[in-house]
Amino acid sequence: MEKKTSCLLCVLTALLLAVLYLWAALRPGVWLRDAFLYRQADGSFSGKDAYAAYTLQLSGTESEAEAVFTLDGETRHYRIEAKNSAEVKLYQDGALIFAGSALGDPGDAILWREDDGDLADEVKVIVNGEYQKADLWPSCGWLYNVAVGGRRETRGSVAFLLPIGALMVLLVLDVRFPLLFWNLRHGLEVYGGEPTDWYYAMQRVSRIASIIGVFVLAAMSFAVH
């Protein structure tokens, strides 16, 4: 009876942790460098990192959108005009900051300037691993992909769900059928026989490693994007 109760508690705990993880990982929003801006109930986005707090409000259509971006209380207004991918213009507080074209799929496009054919956004060099405030504002490409391209992401990377699920399945099978993998490896080679104490010790180590692996992959799914 105690064993059944313990197993039930383990199952319920695992289910609770899985639900909490999926809720946290699948929260919608958009990445801005290493800051995740969560989508709020009113349709806006907000988030923060070690450097600043950010908010974003979007309005308009795919051909003409407006974005209000706030960085630690300072606000800038952007307007994005995109009649088509070959004619894109971005304005910051009424001043033209980009005119050119967008190459690539909506939400993941690259902007090219029409005057010199260079990228819309310069490659920024980070000094001593720290951003300057001027580097924290959104780039032209990011604004275009979010406001016009419709880029939307989740807090956690769903690509990690497959290896996490595979580890969980292997762990459950190993616990539910302790001799399953031993029989699969040696069942066709011997008649009878039982695993040694060394096998059972390594089996416990493998289970602990699998549990640790699940938590490591879960943490990585929030860090990789």
Side-chain angles (χ1 to χ4, degrees):
M1 191 64 183
E2 292 181 357
K3 184 177 181 180
K4 290 182 178 180
T5 302
S6 299
C7 290
L8 180 60
L9 289 175
C10 289
V11 171
L12 292 177
T13 302
L15 289 176
L16 177 60
L17 290 175
V19 170
L20 290 175
Y21 168 75
L22 290 175
W23 173 81
L26 298 180
R27 291 187 64 184
V30 62
W31 282 100
L32 175 64
R33 294 179 302 275
D34 291 330
F36 189 79
L37 279 59
Y38 291 95
R39 188 174 65 190
Q40 307 300 312
D42 60 358
S44 64
F45 299 83
S46 65
K48 62 181 179 179
D49 57 15
Y51 303 99
Y54 316 92
T55 60
L56 172 69
Q57 293 180 329
L58 300 174
S59 61
T61 63
E62 293 182 357
S63 60
E64 184 172 348
E66 292 188 0
V68 180
F69 191 90
T70 302
L71 190 159
D72 276 348
E74 183 179 349
T75 300
R76 291 182 180 180
H77 295 77
Y78 299 91
R79 188 171 82 254
I80 303 97
E81 297 178 357
K83 296 180 179 180
N84 53 62
S85 60
E87 188 176 353
V88 179
K89 293 182 179 180
L90 276 81
Y91 298 85
Q92 176 188 311
D93 296 324
L96 180 67
I97 60 174
F98 171 80
S101 59
L103 299 179
D105 297 329
D108 197 28
I110 299 176
L111 300 186
W112 296 87
R113 298 185 181 277
E114 64 180 8
D115 52 358
D116 54 15
D118 289 338
L119 289 171
D121 305 299
E122 298 179 355
V123 177
K124 299 183 184 296
V125 178
I126 309 304
V127 180
N128 296 326
E130 295 185 0
Y131 285 96
Q132 303 300 314
K133 187 174 182 179
D135 301 325
L136 298 177
W137 293 99
S139 65
C140 293
W142 187 86
L143 286 168
Y144 174 85
N145 285 315
V146 172
V148 177
R151 175 189 292 176
R152 298 295 182 270
E153 298 162 298
T154 56
R155 178 62 180 84
S157 176
V158 294
F160 283 86
L161 291 178
L162 183 60
I164 290 176
L167 273 180
M168 289 300 299
V169 169
L170 292 176
L171 181 61
V172 170
L173 288 175
D174 189 45
V175 173
R176 181 66 180 82
F177 307 102
L179 296 181
L180 173 63
F181 296 107
W182 190 88
N183 288 327
L184 290 176
R185 289 168 56 186
H186 306 291
L188 298 178
E189 301 173 354
V190 298
Y191 288 106
E194 295 181 355
T196 63
D197 292 339
W198 171 259
Y199 175 86
Y200 288 115
M202 290 300 98
Q203 186 180 49
R204 288 191 290 271
V205 172
S206 176
R207 291 172 181 174
I208 295 173
S210 296
I211 295 174
I212 294 175
V214 168
F215 283 98
V216 170
L217 287 173
M220 290 177 61
S221 70
F222 287 95
V224 178
H225 60 92

